Amino acid sequence: MQSTARLARGCTPLLLKHTCCSADRQLLLNGAFSHLKRKQYIQQSQHSCKGFQHVLRASATTVAPVLEKQEVEMAAPNPIYRKDYKPTPYLVEHVYLDFLLNEDKSTVKSKLSMTPNYENSSSTPKLELDGRKDLTLISVSVNGKAVSEADYERTDKKLTINNLPQGKFDLEIVVDIKPQENTSLEGLYKSGGNFCTQCEAEGFRGITYFLDRPDVMAKYTTRIEADAKAYPVLLGNGNVLEKGSAAAGRHFVVWEDPWPKPCYLFALVAGDLACQEDVFHTVSGRDITLRIYTEAKDIHNVSWAMDSLKQAMKWDEETFGLEYDLDLFNIVAVSDFNMGAMENKSLNIFNSRLVIASPSTSTDLDYSRVEGVVAHEYFHNWTGNRVTCRDWFQLTLKEGLTVFRDQEFSSDMNSRPVKRIEDVSRLRTAQFTEDAGSMAHPIRPDSYIKMDNFYTLTVYEKGAEIVRLYRTLLGKDGFRKGMDLYFKRHDGQAVTCDDFRNAMADANKKDLTSFAAWYGQAGTPQVKVSPVYDASGRTLTLKVSQHIPATPGQAHKKPVPIPLAVGLLASDGSEMPLHLKGEAGEAATTKVLLVEEAQQDFVFTEVPEKPVLSALRDFSAPVKLQVEGQTDAELVFLLAHDSDPFCRWEAGQTLLRALLTTLYHAARDQKEPELEDRLAAAGGVPESVTSALGSLLTSKDLDGMFIAAGISLPAATELIGDIPNIDPLLLHNVRKYVVKQLAARLRPQLEATVKQNESAPGDSFVPGEFDQAARRAVKNKALGYLSALDDPAVHADLLERTRSATNMTDQISALAGLADSECPERKTALEELYKQWKDDSLVMLKWIALQAGANVPGNLKNVEKLVEHPAFSIKNPNACYSLFLSFLRSAVNFHAADGSGYKFIADSVLKVDKINRQVAARIVSSSAFTALKDYDLERAQMMREQLTRISAENGLSENVFEIVSKSLES
Ligand code: ARG
Ligand code: ZN
């Protein structure tokens, strides 16, 4: 991609003598070519690359006629490279902002005190400010004097000022913006009639011209003025300095934030909002005022978020010695928000679905998400705000670390093993897929076109796993020492991932240089372990090897340091004390081996009998593990006896993955007779698997949450990529078969589980109460299995449950049990739920998701109707995610053999892109389109056609462009 940038910045004639495929394609797609040039180019083109030919074809037929009329001349998107980082020639000491908010247009006046950051020289460097093209520039002045037109230049993305004075100066800029027309939900926009902002990553440039990058840290004072009646609440960062009324029924508040910050942490809210207030007493004896703001109708449902906030504040004091640093902390819930939430200094803005919770409308999962995200954003106050990122490539510095912190918090608040299993499942089902697809990138990427495309599972979840590696290796105390040093060194700074690693290393006097490889390489390492037992020498040798598959732009990888936690089980199920050859010290029962080479042997001595290996305990590294020679019997043994809960769960999952793979191949190799008969002939579900799951189900020593996870089948996406050229529909049918077989054979145990875990009449829902939630989890999991039986009695029971449920967890689970069955109860239950909850937009999101994701054949026509339904709004990101992302998960309908599902998604992406580029990009990046090479050839081809069609769209956003072009290249 490197030459892309060079070409894009260079002159057009060069293009005709191109050498680089992707470079030219990029320009072609973005209308940088006139129709004529496009035609010439197409004739001269010698390209052979597959993706390019598709684009050419599509652009010739679809784009060219459009272009003829409009002759759009747009700049091609330039990738930004990490290696090009340079500090800015000017810094900003203080920002004074004045917002005049109105219905037709709003005015933003900024006064920046600028300080030089360049080497002394006779002339001063130019100042390049970022700003979106929809800013209307009213005036720009330096030290009170208007800058002459000759001294500044404007492009669609920049305002460049020349001939600046030596030394410090004041820069004043006035712009007009139209938040009411801003559907991208970046910068300043309106949601539910209120003004709010979202500036990370580069939204501030939609508000005014500024050095919109995280290494420019300044102190902010913000005056907000608006109509007093319509916008009684005016919120900003920091503390209130002044407030009062203004002419014409208006009022204002001035906020001052004493902590220097990058502009991505700036926030403003103006609206008619209700508030719940509380107080937190810090460890040093200060009282912090906590306020949560929502629309009036929701304010009685914020106490769980408030409790979570207080718990998080306390936990951070106790765990990391980190106290809150202002006297006020605000959270505002808005219903139109591109992501989960945002950690703006002292003014967190949240997607309302992560603040509002009530038993009758929120599931146990919703409650735990609220808890986790409220904590996450609060934790950012130290990991992100006090110490921030030097540039956006370092995003994992704050996100990986903060996810790690929120995971630890949730583990301490709930069940640690269950939380670990959930996190690993998410990593495996979604991040591993991303890491093997066309968007694969290291946790610290090397380049991007749109930073918003890199708020990924890789940066967040894999990033958190890399932080966890330090903790595993250095221990809890060593990790804390590293954190302390990190804050001591870098408080108030914008730093890099290397600074974090160095703090960990220096605080523990360890050389962690080799860990840099985890930051620079994409792809999931594959680790093989072969245990070799020598009975006469009483030794066990573990032969360990690692290999990282090639990813786009990274053909060859070097080994990464992998902490591999292992244990050895004796035949009676007990843990053996471990003696590692060449190491003295006490014999523990879990040992962390550090695998640093491509191949390495570890020898255990004094091993009295051939042990069963328990490897990758607690998922000690984000890798794919294969234990060579491991038998089903050993897996069943581990499932029953392993003292490590993660490995116990994993043993069951490994068994099930192997079963699904075997059955898939059996089904694929023959076409006759009926699928069920073919699968039965291939051995069906072996008795050993059924009984292993049966004993898990009836186990007395395990909690319901763990059991529910243990009897869950691995997600289809875990197998995609491992089985080459997969037919997703066949895989779906194989999974369905296995579920049905298990349900039929374990029916008595499943029914008993339901009965035993039924909530007693009068039991009221207590948020966060683990035992209750665990009982609901296993009961609903069992009901899910029973629903696969296609038994009218079960359908009737589920319908009854949707009616009598006293909480949303039970109600929506029962409905989910009906969603994939073509029975009359399905329709009735959906209609009834709609009637009951049509005024609750958060419940409607679940209602939409269940229908959109259903696997009933021919469901696309219903999904198309849903798009038109009053409960759906294409402008609302939550609604789009519920509908489109759920549809992507329907094997039957998204992957329909006639390509209709792919076409629907491509059409939808194009529609959404005109409204909200981030949401559109998220739909494509979540789709199988980014992993098309994993699918059967017919499907891969159909996906490619849709990508080509998207890419040929005139005026496509850079966000979607980046994902689509990378997918076509792979
Ligand atoms: N920093 C926010 C969070 O905690 C997310 C911001 C996402 N921004 C974006 N452009 N996607 O996690
Ligand atoms: Zn975050």
Side-chain angles (χ1 to χ4, degrees), residues 343 376-377 380 398-399 402 460:
E343 70 265 22
H376 177 99
E377 305 309 331
H380 267 314
K398 76 175 177 81
E399 294 304 345
T402 305
Y460 276 63

Side-chain angles (χ1 to χ4, degrees), residues 209-227:
Y209 288 103
F210 197 73
L211 289 165
D212 187 359
R213 42 187 282 172
D215 60 347
V216 174
M217 298 174 82
K219 287 189 185 169
Y220 283 67
T221 306
T222 309
R223 181 181 183 278
I224 310 166
E225 186 197 298
D227 184 81

Side-chain angles (χ1 to χ4, degrees), residues 288-325:
I288 316 291
T289 303
L290 311 176
R291 294 198 184 114
I292 300 185
Y293 292 87
T294 67
E295 284 178 45
K297 68 174 171 55
D298 295 318
I299 198 63
H300 53 284
N301 288 330
V302 302
S303 43
W304 175 249
M306 186 66 92
D307 288 349
S308 303
L309 175 60
K310 291 199 279 185
Q311 295 283 4
M313 294 177 89
K314 184 157 170 275
W315 185 89
D316 219 13
E317 291 181 347
E318 289 170 359
T319 315
F320 289 109
L322 298 172
E323 193 176 318
Y324 187 58
D325 56 5

Side-chain angles (χ1 to χ4, degrees), residues 1-144:
M1 296 288 276
Q2 219 165 316
S3 47
T4 314
R6 233 185 300 127
L7 279 178
R9 282 191 218 107
C11 52
T12 323
L14 247 183
L15 290 169
L16 301 174
K17 294 191 230 101
H18 72 282
T19 48
C20 166
C21 233
S22 61
D24 301 330
R25 188 177 334 151
Q26 208 159 358
L27 290 165
L28 191 62
L29 290 174
N30 279 267
F33 274 3
S34 70
H35 179 45
L36 182 74
K37 281 182 206 143
R38 185 182 295 267
K39 250 197 188 145
Q40 260 177 357
Y41 183 74
I42 292 169
Q43 282 155 6
Q44 295 182 8
S45 169
Q46 304 279 307
H47 284 261
S48 55
C49 130
K50 259 187 296 175
F52 190 76
Q53 292 304 334
H54 283 284
V55 175
L56 279 184
R57 241 177 284 135
S59 68
T61 53
T62 333
V63 184
V66 181
L67 276 173
E68 222 158 12
K69 277 192 229 112
Q70 301 183 358
E71 283 295 319
V72 185
E73 293 277 343
M74 265 167 50
N78 289 338
I80 315 222
Y81 296 94
R82 179 162 64 85
K83 64 174 174 37
D84 291 344
Y85 173 82
K86 270 208 303 280
T88 53
Y90 296 93
L91 292 172
V92 189
E93 232 163 59
H94 193 266
V95 180
Y96 185 90
L97 291 166
D98 191 356
F99 285 85
L100 302 168
L101 302 176
N102 291 298
E103 302 310 312
D104 52 346
K105 62 171 197 217
S106 295
T107 303
V108 186
K109 301 180 186 173
S110 70
K111 184 174 175 178
L112 315 175
S113 28
M114 309 294 300
T115 63
N117 190 37
Y118 51 85
E119 300 283 313
N120 272 344
S121 75
S122 54
S123 66
T124 58
K126 62 184 179 185
L127 170 61
E128 282 187 85
L129 299 173
D130 307 290
R132 291 193 69 92
K133 66 169 182 287
D134 29 14
L135 299 178
T136 306
L137 182 62
I138 306 294
S139 66
V140 41
S141 62
V142 167
N143 290 334

Side-chain angles (χ1 to χ4, degrees), residues 198 200-201 264 339 341-343 376-377 380 398-399 452 455 460 918:
Q198 171 56 37
E200 187 177 2
Y264 83 86
M339 43 258 168
M342 180 62 212
E343 70 265 22
H376 177 99
E377 305 309 331
H380 267 314
K398 76 175 177 81
E399 294 304 345
D452 294 321
Y455 285 73
Y460 276 63
Q918 283 192 33

Side-chain angles (χ1 to χ4, degrees), residues 144-188:
K145 230 181 104 218
V147 177
S148 81
E149 291 218 7
D151 281 339
Y152 71 84
E153 279 159 63
R154 279 181 75 195
T155 65
D156 279 356
K157 293 183 171 181
K158 299 254 182 222
L159 170 66
T160 306
I161 309 177
N162 299 302
N163 295 323
L164 286 160
Q166 296 276 358
K168 297 189 178 205
F169 62 93
D170 282 345
L171 175 63
E172 280 176 74
I173 298 174
V174 181
V175 296
D176 279 347
I177 50 176
K178 294 192 167 175
Q180 71 280 8
E181 287 172 13
N182 178 357
T183 57
S184 71
L185 315 187
E186 295 170 25
L188 180 62

Side-chain angles (χ1 to χ4, degrees), residues 68 139 444 622 637 740 907:
E68 222 158 12
S139 66
R444 175 159 69 178
F637 180 81
K740 196 169 168 181
D907 288 342

